[in-house]
Amino acid sequence: MEMKIAHISDTHITSGEAYKGYAYDLIANEINTLDYDIVVHTGDVTNEGLKEEYERASYELKKIQKPLIVVPGNHDARNVGYELFEKYIGPLNGVYEKDDLVIIWVDSTIPDLSDGRIGGYKFQWLKEKLEEYSHKKFKIVASHHHLVPLPDTGRERNVLFNAGDVLDLLLKHEVNLYICGHKHVPNIYKVEGLIVANAGCTSCRKIRKGDVNSYNIIKIKEDGKISVSIKRVTGEIARREFKIKKQRIFVPKKRRLLRIVQMSESNVSDRVYFRERILKNAIKAINEKYKPDLVIHCGDVVDVGTERYYAKAYEFWEKIKPEKIIVPGHNDITYLGYELFREYFGEPKILEMDSFAFIPIISAQYETPIGVVGRIGQKILKQHLREHEDKFKVVVMHHNIIPIPRSREIGFLEDGGNVLKILTEEKAELVLTGHGGNTLGIKVEETPIINAGSISWELHRNPFGNSFNLIDIYEDMIAAFEIQATWGSRKLLGIWKIKTKVPWA
Amino acid sequence: MLRAFTVIPMDENAPIKVYMTKKLIGVRPEDSVQEACKVMVEFDIGSLVVVDENDSVVGFFTKSDVIRRVIVPGLPYTTPVKEIMTKELITVDANTPLKEVLKIMAAKRIKHILIKEEGKVVGIFTLSDLLEASRRKLETSIAAE
């Protein structure tokens, strides 16, 4: 079986200026003349979800003389357009099946909002479909909204409301591809075993950073190889190949070089949610049992920035024996926190230990859970990663850049898309974050990203309870475990092979 | 919904691939029992797969196998793993629903089961994976002053 899929998106068909009819015709003609088996449109067929737009769209879509799946986008749902969508275009959710392939498309729109959501009953529907088609060798889920932060989109927003849960579901079910549109920026990421492919926009005038219209080409081969190409109307093609690998067995043979304990959200305070006993026990276990080379606190050391809480937090901090790094979280800089953090813990600085470099990045802003690295911060981050090119580079920050399960994702890092691109392109060996109250370990491209849950705050989202992470770095792999703060039971967050040469070993 | 061991609702119709551990830690057949036990302690795990040079899983053993097959008969710690491992592997397909897997485990009275897909071992499912939520509940009970 070999399948070739044309993935188009964001046509924004309207009689107004937004629609570029010539770009649409160019791409539609090309799709008709080339050997595509099927075409998937990941939404924003129309510009405003209006009747006259749907009438025109149904005419324009007929120009594509191939089997066509159309997914609704936020623009299609405007003005109760989701009802017209079903009338003029087709079902909002559905399943396409051929040989070893299944494509499940799901409506991620919220009427009148640009945000996305695959919530409640729809999430359950998607789960049931994934169970039903579990046996298919190739599984593609198509939806409109993006799943991981995208570069060059300005502000990170309109993320799927429950992006963390959706990502978790797709990874657990070993979906091969998540395809989407929405942001008008073409991009391909490998997220663990999942390829996340965003199509650019096929025929809308709203293009970012002076790019041109484009569509994606997906090829699926019997031997388990998948390729995704971004094809621009200028003819330029950027192609990436992937191989489905299901068996992941690690045979530890090499030396352990470093052990890190990562924690977050201790939220020291005198509030009832602060679990002092759990923090004490965890610190005891860290000092006596785990004996790491380095302890990293990813922020929210205090619940709010008062002198009393900082003094108390500092007492705990002093009890931790190994070398330590801490970055401020958004709680830490509330009220007097901006000053207090620096008075008690000092300005976060780059720490070099043998061949490791730990690069702290400050992302917290006043009085908001939304963080930002900033355009100058991004340049500094890139510069630090380049300056420490020959080291094992660990970036430490508070805000999560990968959506966290069981939390409402609102794009916690305002410029998460650009930051993620820098981290993956500059090949940071490890990224540690600590926001959202739940634990997660996911590799994007070649960079493992680990988020810490809360070590001692009752208001968390982790079914495992309060926890911290134990990260062991070997010459040939990174093994990360979540340690239940009270009982010490372990859960594997991830093991990742280190593929790069090891000048740092 | 299955609530036998946990308060986390587990979907008994979901394929076992959803619940299995997908990244496995293994040893080579020639490795000594002592080396293998060091790996178990280092990673705090109760079982290991044994893989040959072609990454094929050729055996499996648990901590209690070490007690029963090495310590009790008095074998030396240098005994290669291949001599004590279970060679006849009990496996299920990755698409088998959870409830079927639990039935098989109960019938065979085993606490760990290997998961296969397209002829290859791709995961392991362990009963202790189900105990997460009860640990959290106990934590809450002692955290409250």
Side-chain angles (χ1 to χ4, degrees):
Chain A
M1 188 199 86
E2 200 170 307
M3 285 277 279
K4 207 169 155 189
I5 303 165
H7 170 202
I8 61 173
S9 200
D10 297 80
T11 45
H12 289 262
I13 296 168
T14 173
S15 57
E17 267 196 3
Y19 177 54
K20 286 159 82 175
Y22 56 94
Y24 180 83
D25 287 342
L26 191 75
I27 289 174
N29 279 335
E30 179 172 312
I31 286 171
N32 288 338
T33 43
L34 297 179
D35 56 342
Y36 294 108
D37 299 288
I38 185 165
V39 181
V40 183
H41 186 318
T42 48
D44 285 359
V45 180
T46 66
N47 200 44
E48 291 293 334
L50 301 169
K51 185 165 178 265
E52 60 267 27
E53 290 178 351
Y54 273 114
E55 281 167 351
R56 172 139 184 215
S58 72
Y59 162 78
E60 298 287 351
L61 289 178
K62 282 193 188 86
K63 288 181 181 168
I64 296 172
Q65 294 147 8
K66 305 264 170 159
L68 176 67
I69 292 170
V70 188
V71 185
N74 55 303
H75 282 259
D76 301 319
R78 286 185 182 175
N79 304 306
V80 200
Y82 48 90
E83 296 216 351
L84 299 173
F85 187 95
E86 286 183 293
K87 187 176 165 196
Y88 286 96
I89 312 279
L92 297 164
N93 306 287
V95 178
Y96 168 90
E97 203 188 339
K98 198 186 175 207
D99 305 327
D100 276 343
L101 170 73
V102 64
I103 302 174
I104 302 170
W105 74 94
V106 54
D107 172 11
S108 61
T109 66
I110 307 172
D112 296 332
L113 289 184
S114 300
D115 303 295
R117 178 175 64 207
I118 301 176
Y121 293 111
K122 220 180 301 171
F123 187 84
Q124 188 60 31
W125 176 85
L126 176 61
K127 188 164 161 278
E128 280 163 14
K129 290 298 153 197
L130 288 169
E131 285 170 12
E132 190 180 337
Y133 295 96
S134 175
H135 58 283
K136 292 282 185 186
K137 186 170 175 182
F138 297 102
K139 293 185 258 305
I140 299 179
V141 172
S143 204
H144 181 63
H145 289 83
H146 62 298
L147 196 55
V148 286
L150 280 180
D152 298 328
T153 56
R155 189 187 175 86
E156 178 60 22
R157 55 189 178 142
N158 312 153
V159 194
L160 282 172
F161 193 96
N162 54 340
D165 287 341
V166 174
L167 180 59
D168 181 58
L169 183 74
L170 302 185
L171 289 173
K172 277 187 175 150
H173 281 273
E174 298 182 335
V175 172
N176 309 106
L177 259 165
Y178 177 79
I179 59 175
C180 58
H182 185 58
K183 282 293 196 177
H184 298 198
V185 173
N187 190 69
I188 305 165
Y189 270 140
K190 186 161 193 273
V191 180
E192 291 284 324
L194 174 74
I195 306 160
V196 177
N198 289 71
C201 77
T202 298
S203 57
C204 182
R205 204 168 291 281
K206 188 178 166 187
I207 298 181
R208 296 173 206 268
K209 225 172 82 168
D211 202 349
V212 294
N213 293 106
S214 65
Y215 74 105
N216 287 359
I217 303 164
I218 298 158
K219 272 190 208 166
I220 287 165
K221 286 185 192 158
E222 186 67 53
D223 60 3
K225 281 196 184 120
I226 297 176
S227 76
V228 184
S229 311
I230 297 166
K231 186 165 186 193
R232 291 183 162 82
V233 286
T234 48
E236 184 199 336
I237 297 178
R239 180 188 163 96
R240 288 187 62 183
E241 295 266 358
F242 303 92
K243 175 112 183 67
I244 299 177
K245 194 168 176 263
K246 293 217 164 137
Q247 191 184 34
R248 299 180 196 96
I249 299 179
F250 299 81
V251 180
K253 286 282 174 205
K254 298 275 176 77
R255 198 157 57 94
R256 186 167 86 202
L257 300 172
L258 193 83
R259 166 168 279 190
I260 302 169
V261 159
Q262 178 201 11
M263 61 171 83
S264 193
E265 298 186 16
S266 46
N267 281 320
V268 174
S269 62
D270 52 19
R271 290 179 69 191
V272 68
Y273 302 121
F274 169 55
R275 294 169 151 182
E276 187 166 338
R277 183 183 288 170
I278 291 182
L279 185 59
K280 274 185 189 158
N281 285 345
I283 291 174
K284 191 162 178 270
I286 290 164
N287 286 337
E288 291 169 13
K289 184 174 178 197
Y290 300 106
K291 300 187 172 90
D293 302 292
L294 179 68
V295 173
I296 297 177
H297 194 307
C298 289
D300 287 357
V301 64
V302 291
D303 173 36
V304 286
T306 66
E307 182 105 47
R308 226 161 23 87
Y309 290 176
Y310 264 100
K312 194 170 175 181
Y314 190 71
E315 260 180 52
F316 283 110
W317 188 242
E318 283 293 277
K319 289 197 182 101
I320 302 174
K321 287 179 195 157
E323 179 107 41
K324 289 165 284 192
I325 299 185
I326 181 167
V327 288
H330 63 291
N331 285 356
D332 298 323
I333 61 161
T334 51
Y335 304 99
L336 265 180
Y338 189 86
E339 262 64 39
L340 291 169
F341 185 87
R342 279 148 186 90
E343 281 171 30
Y344 281 87
F345 297 102
E347 187 72 31
K349 282 199 215 80
I350 294 180
L351 172 72
E352 292 191 28
M353 287 174 87
D354 303 326
S355 357
F356 293 82
F358 296 86
I359 303 169
I361 290 293
I362 297 176
S363 57
Q365 306 190 81
Y366 285 136
E367 317 294 339
T368 167
I370 307 284
V372 66
V373 173
R375 281 168 285 173
I376 291 178
Q378 289 169 24
K379 282 189 185 144
I380 291 170
L381 170 63
K382 196 186 274 186
Q383 189 192 331
H384 286 332
L385 288 167
R386 287 187 180 167
E387 277 166 8
H388 297 88
E389 202 185 9
D390 56 339
K391 303 262 180 187
F392 187 102
K393 305 172 285 299
V394 184
V395 174
V396 180
M397 54 195 249
H398 175 66
H399 289 88
N400 59 299
I401 35 175
I402 296 298
I404 306 296
R406 295 181 184 83
S407 98
R408 177 186 173 176
E409 182 58 49
I410 50 175
F412 284 112
L413 192 64
E414 195 180 298
D415 48 0
N418 283 13
V419 172
L420 183 60
K421 202 63 166 184
I422 293 167
L423 295 171
T424 53
E425 276 187 353
E426 301 296 328
K427 299 194 166 57
E429 275 81 5
L430 184 62
V431 176
L432 303 177
T433 63
H435 180 86
N438 204 349
T439 312
L440 181 72
I442 276 183
K443 186 162 106 168
V444 180
E445 299 289 302
E446 295 304 321
T447 301
I449 299 171
I450 304 173
N451 193 70
S454 165
I455 187 168
S456 53
W457 187 238
E458 194 176 0
L459 304 180
H460 63 73
R461 301 181 173 84
N462 190 346
F464 199 47
N466 288 114
S467 71
F468 57 87
N469 298 337
L470 186 69
I471 302 163
D472 284 334
I473 301 168
Y474 297 82
E475 284 177 359
D476 58 345
M477 66 181 193
I478 301 170
F481 299 90
E482 179 179 13
I483 310 284
Q484 223 272 351
T486 304
W487 309 114
S489 36
R490 285 188 187 213
K491 203 165 125 179
L492 182 67
L493 287 174
I495 312 182
W496 302 280
K497 281 192 177 130
I498 296 173
K499 288 178 191 160
T500 46
K501 290 242 169 62
V502 277
W504 46 272
Chain B
M1 294 290 181
L2 200 80
R3 283 173 180 268
F5 298 94
T6 161
V7 292
I8 295 184
M10 296 190 84
D11 185 350
E12 55 185 0
N13 295 316
I16 193 66
K17 71 166 84 153
V18 171
Y19 298 109
M20 71 186 186
T21 302
K22 290 173 183 174
K23 293 181 176 180
L24 302 178
I25 293 170
V27 289
R28 300 285 180 211
E30 304 75 32
D31 288 349
S32 71
V33 168
Q34 189 179 32
E35 283 168 314
C37 287
K38 281 181 183 167
V39 172
M40 281 188 181
V41 170
E42 171 88 12
F43 293 90
D44 198 15
I45 45 176
S47 65
L48 287 169
V49 290
V50 184
V51 283
D52 67 12
E53 296 299 327
N54 306 319
D55 275 350
S56 286
V57 177
V58 294
F60 175 77
F61 66 96
T62 65
K63 264 184 205 167
S64 63
D65 290 337
V66 175
I67 296 171
R68 280 187 286 115
R69 298 174 194 168
V70 182
I71 310 290
V72 172
L75 292 185
Y77 294 172
T78 51
T79 308
V81 154
K82 64 181 173 197
E83 286 176 22
I84 64 121
M85 68 189 186
T86 304
K87 291 184 190 107
E88 276 154 33
L89 302 175
I90 301 171
T91 63
V92 285
D93 185 84
N95 297 312
T96 316
L98 172 65
K99 65 176 173 193
E100 297 302 323
V101 176
L102 290 175
K103 276 184 203 161
I104 295 165
M105 292 174 82
K108 297 193 186 289
R109 305 195 74 73
I110 50 174
K111 294 185 208 74
H112 311 260
I113 194 159
L114 294 173
I115 318 294
K116 264 191 170 180
E117 195 165 355
E118 290 173 10
K120 282 191 166 176
V121 173
V122 295
I124 186 168
F125 177 72
T126 302
L127 279 191
S128 63
D129 293 344
L130 299 173
L131 297 172
E132 251 180 48
S134 42
R135 289 193 187 117
R136 187 198 64 228
K137 275 196 161 308
L138 293 168
E139 178 182 68
T140 303
S141 73
I142 71 150
E145 292 291 306

